[in-house]
Amino acid sequence: ERLPALLAAMPKAELHIHIEGSLEPEMIFALAQRNGVALPYADVEALRRAYAFTDLQSFLDIYYAGASVLLYEQDFYDMARAYLLRAAQDNVVHAEIFFDPQTHTARGVAMETVVNGLYRATQDAQAELGTSSSLILCFLRHLSEEDAFATLEQAQPFLDRIIGVGLDSSEVGNPPEKFARVFARCGELGLHRVAHAGEEGPAAYIWSALDVLKVERIDHGVQAIQDPALMRRLAEERIALTVCPLSNLKLCVFPELAQHNIRQLLDAGLAATVNSDDPAYFGGYLNQNFTELFAAVPELTSQHAWQLAHNSFAASFVPDEQRRAWQ
Ligand code: HPA
Ligand code: ZN
């Protein structure tokens, strides 16, 4: 074990966490019972046994099934509350939390129900834990741009509770260009913009996320390594990558953690950060991502640890005043 005390103790920001991916199997079953939702798994153990993923899609199928137990505002509150309590234990002092409203509105859950439950949990975490957090609405890229526009319309009354928009779900075959117009509209509305790109998809999707969607950060982005010109651009413009080591391992983006490329990204001057993505599904919350990564990649030093924590604050969407207080 290398540097575990430093990695655990250092204050950090988490910038890539899907709140539906923080739903633990125990909570899935508790909510299924509370809400009278039938699950295609006999018990918690059977559900956990299904968490053997071969790629992104094999994960997404189970992740959307798990989210089907969320019906009421209190369900969304309880889920976000549990994540924020767990994150505080990992010395996460700020979190920018993705949510997937289309997963819920497609089942007849109102946008208001989703946003109110999540937002109330963020407010309580500020008051009770001192953890700051904000919400980023993600569009599902396997659905149409028209569907994304309808979702933005439903979110319109709540835009004061949402700091930005993202793009997630099935990457390959759903390039950023598909969402050019809705992201342009989000820019006009003053929303921050991020997108998953270069997780399984090609480096070309990172270029188009930057040039077409005008994103400020790239979620994952590890395939940038395939394209030296893109690597130079990301370094020069200090565009942050929200890298998720245990996610990459569990979805077979890298065969082993020892082969993860985060050290190459950092050493090339890219603003990489470490994040948990879907911690209930991928085997660990934020500190577990740090400790397993540093245990597997011996070239990572305390200097890299400091850089990763620094990058997480620098890449966050908090006002400059708050950022200066942290750095
Ligand atoms: N990639 C794409 N979509 C997602 C992910 C991811 O890692 N997690 C939850 N939705
Ligand atoms: Zn993700």
Side-chain angles (χ1 to χ4, degrees):
E1 284 295 301
R2 302 170 50 255
L3 307 171
L6 168 70
L7 296 171
M10 65 183 185
K12 49 189 80 76
E14 174 145 66
L15 305 178
H16 186 161
I17 160 78
H18 302 263
I19 200 64
E20 294 89 351
S22 75
L23 205 49
E24 293 286 345
E26 290 77 9
M27 194 181 283
I28 290 176
F29 272 85
L31 289 173
Q33 184 151 32
R34 186 160 102 184
N35 293 339
V37 175
L39 288 171
Y41 302 94
D43 52 32
V44 166
E45 285 66 41
L47 178 56
R48 248 188 233 287
R49 274 197 300 279
Y51 293 2
F53 312 118
T54 52
D55 58 9
L56 174 58
Q57 192 61 49
S58 66
F59 156 70
L60 290 171
D61 293 341
I62 291 182
Y63 161 83
Y64 295 129
S68 70
V69 301
L70 297 159
L71 292 183
Y72 304 107
E73 184 181 317
Q74 191 64 34
D75 305 339
F76 292 91
Y77 177 89
D78 290 346
M79 170 171 67
R81 174 79 179 167
Y83 163 70
L84 287 160
L85 282 167
R86 184 63 189 78
Q89 289 177 15
D90 283 3
N91 293 306
V92 171
V93 300
H94 176 72
E96 297 183 1
I97 299 174
F98 293 141
F99 69 109
D100 286 343
Q102 286 155 298
T103 305
H104 314 301
T105 54
R107 297 179 292 108
V109 178
M111 179 70 77
E112 179 181 21
T113 302
V114 179
V115 173
N116 283 353
L118 299 177
Y119 189 74
R120 185 157 58 85
T122 66
Q123 298 305 103
D124 286 358
Q126 179 70 66
E128 296 167 23
L129 308 168
T131 307
S132 71
S133 57
S134 42
L135 300 173
I136 297 177
L137 183 160
C138 279
F139 299 116
L140 298 182
R141 69 200 303 159
H142 68 274
L143 301 177
S144 67
E145 188 179 48
E146 191 186 356
D147 208 311
F149 265 115
T151 301
L152 180 61
E153 190 67 33
Q154 290 162 358
Q156 202 84 32
F158 312 105
L159 290 186
D160 60 331
R161 297 165 171 220
I162 293 167
I163 58 157
V165 294
L167 188 64
D168 66 0
S169 192
S170 317
E171 185 183 9
V172 174
N174 294 299
E177 287 86 338
K178 188 176 161 185
F179 297 92
R181 287 164 299 178
V182 74
F183 267 66
R185 179 76 191 117
C186 291
E188 290 167 6
L189 290 168
L191 291 162
H192 287 292
R193 285 165 285 177
V194 300
H196 284 53
E199 178 185 15
E200 287 184 343
Y205 286 15
I206 301 176
W207 283 106
S208 51
L210 295 171
D211 290 333
V212 180
L213 303 186
K214 314 272 189 227
V215 300
E216 296 158 82
R217 300 193 298 245
I218 296 288
D219 296 312
H220 293 294
V222 292
Q223 302 303 334
I225 204 97
Q226 312 292 345
D227 184 337
L230 177 60
M231 290 285 281
R232 285 193 293 276
R233 178 178 179 185
L234 293 169
E236 277 166 20
E237 298 184 17
R238 293 299 289 168
I239 295 171
L241 304 187
T242 62
V243 175
C244 305
L246 289 175
S247 168
N248 292 156
L249 176 67
K250 294 295 158 68
L251 300 187
C252 308
V253 173
F254 297 95
E256 295 192 69
L257 221 39
Q259 282 152 56
H260 201 285
N261 66 9
I262 195 161
R263 189 189 60 85
Q264 288 91 317
L265 299 174
L266 287 170
D267 290 353
L270 273 66
T273 63
V274 168
N275 305 271
S276 70
D277 206 6
D278 301 282
Y281 291 90
F282 298 148
Y285 287 79
L286 190 48
N287 283 354
Q288 190 91 17
N289 275 269
F290 273 103
T291 54
E292 290 199 30
L293 178 70
F294 275 69
V297 183
E299 298 86 3
L300 288 171
T301 64
S302 59
Q303 181 61 32
H304 288 114
W306 181 87
Q307 187 71 57
L308 288 163
H310 173 86
N311 290 349
S312 75
F313 294 113
S316 74
F317 294 142
V318 300
D320 285 341
E321 192 179 276
Q322 187 176 341
R323 199 197 323 272
R324 273 195 300 274
W326 279 331
Q327 287 179 319

